[in-house]
Amino acid sequence: MTERKCLNLIKKDWEIMSSNPNLIDEAKAWYPREHDYSKNLANKYNLNLQQITGLFAAFSPLKSVSENKRILVNFLNGSRYGHTSLQMNKAELILQTDKIEEIDIILSGRKTTAFHRHLYNPLCKEKICIDTHLIKYFNKGNVIHITPNRYSMYENAIKKWAKKVNLLPSELQALLWLYSKQQYGIKI
């Protein structure tokens, strides 16, 4: 796979995706809606937004959004179960800082850091959340090992296509994520 092939795949599917206004609207609304959800939790639990979005991202690996939210709320209410000890330890560290850069270091992975940044600021253009669903999109439903170069290739293709069609990279990422769910029956 090359960046050109990634762009060609998006181009091939673009007509289908762009002809569905409900899908486009859902993609555009996804990160702002989850940002608002995070703001509400921050207010309710007297935490900073970046802490909540960091926790949301920390609990995201290998979990559906609904599972992620359940784990997050349970964690905020004092429960420490539902994810690996590594992710729970990251969550505990996130509670000890309100600095977004420190939260990025705690999260450490490109996917979780990007997810955190888009939840915190849906207008973020620098990072792209390349998760299992996007890997499946770019690989005809298969999950393959993702190297740093492959991550960058997917990220660059999304940024370029988003610019071409006047979407935020996070909006295109969400669109591809939703489309992948439709194509491959991914439970998200």
Side-chain angles (χ1 to χ4, degrees), residues 32-133:
R33 182 180 60 242
E34 300 309 325
H35 171 84
D36 289 345
Y37 173 81
S38 298
K39 276 177 41 177
N40 289 336
L41 285 179
N43 289 333
K44 180 177 180 179
Y45 290 94
N46 198 30
L47 292 169
N48 293 306
L49 176 61
Q50 60 269 30
Q51 290 173 303
I52 295 293
T53 58
L55 293 169
F56 200 147
F59 297 134
S60 67
L62 303 174
K63 300 294 181 189
S64 68
V65 174
S66 60
E67 287 176 298
N68 187 342
K69 287 180 173 180
R70 181 183 46 77
I71 295 165
L72 172 59
V73 170
N74 286 342
F75 181 86
L76 293 170
N77 287 321
S79 298
R80 299 298 187 257
Y81 66 89
H83 218 299
T84 65
S85 59
L86 176 64
Q87 297 311 109
M88 288 295 173
N89 290 338
K90 287 181 181 185
E92 292 290 352
L93 290 171
I94 288 166
L95 288 180
Q96 297 173 26
T97 185
D98 62 358
K99 294 180 176 69
I100 198 162
E101 295 81 10
E102 288 180 8
I103 294 170
D104 286 346
I105 291 167
I106 293 165
L107 292 170
S108 74
R110 286 174 82 177
K111 178 265 181 187
T112 52
T113 301
F115 189 50
H116 166 235
R117 288 301 184 109
H118 286 292
L119 291 167
Y120 180 75
N121 175 12
L123 304 178
C124 175
K125 294 181 180 180
E126 292 78 41
K127 299 177 182 287
I128 307 295
C129 181
I130 307 295
D131 66 358
T132 303
H133 312 306

Side-chain angles (χ1 to χ4, degrees), residues 3 7 12 14 28 32 49 80 82 86 101 106 109 145 155 169:
E3 187 177 307
L7 285 165
K12 177 183 79 66
W14 181 248
K28 286 182 172 186
L49 176 61
R80 299 298 187 257
L86 176 64
E101 295 81 10
I106 293 165
H145 176 69
E155 193 173 51

